[in-house]
Amino acid sequence: MIGQQEAEALAQHHMQEYIKACGCDTVRDVGNALMKLVSMCGLGMCATVGQAEAVEILSGTAAYIAKTQEGRNWRSERAN
């Protein structure tokens, strides 16, 4: 498998292409499209590593985001 940095760059590229393909008009549209992507990825993980491990991975990711991004000055911008 490719390295972590290469995988992250590839994921970012495809995520941006996915958002463009969804034709999002607002940041809320982008959020909804990304939630669908996360949901489908979660189901893909269930199919490959099993439901229990998929839930553990997604829960760990959510906890990491909650911990490391708290208080950050995230801003909403125009979707396109």
Side-chain angles (χ1 to χ4, degrees):
M1 182 168 157
I2 62 175
Q4 183 176 344
Q5 288 180 334
E6 293 89 356
E8 187 173 310
L10 187 60
Q12 182 175 354
H13 169 77
H14 286 292
M15 181 179 62
Q16 290 169 340
E17 292 299 314
Y18 166 76
I19 291 167
K20 288 177 191 174
C22 287
C24 297
D25 293 321
T26 67
V27 291
R28 184 170 298 276
D29 289 347
V30 173
N32 289 336
L34 289 174
M35 190 61 244
K36 180 51 71 179
L37 185 59
V38 168
S39 177
M40 295 306 298
C41 288
L43 292 174
M45 283 193 290
C46 284
T48 56
V49 299
Q51 187 266 353
E53 189 171 344
V55 169
E56 184 178 328
I57 291 166
L58 290 168
S59 296
T61 301
Y64 174 80
I65 291 168
K67 181 179 179 181
T68 62
Q69 302 307 304
E70 184 177 9
R72 287 236 169 144
N73 188 18
W74 290 97
R75 61 178 189 209
S76 297
E77 296 180 358
R78 186 161 158 48
N80 49 9

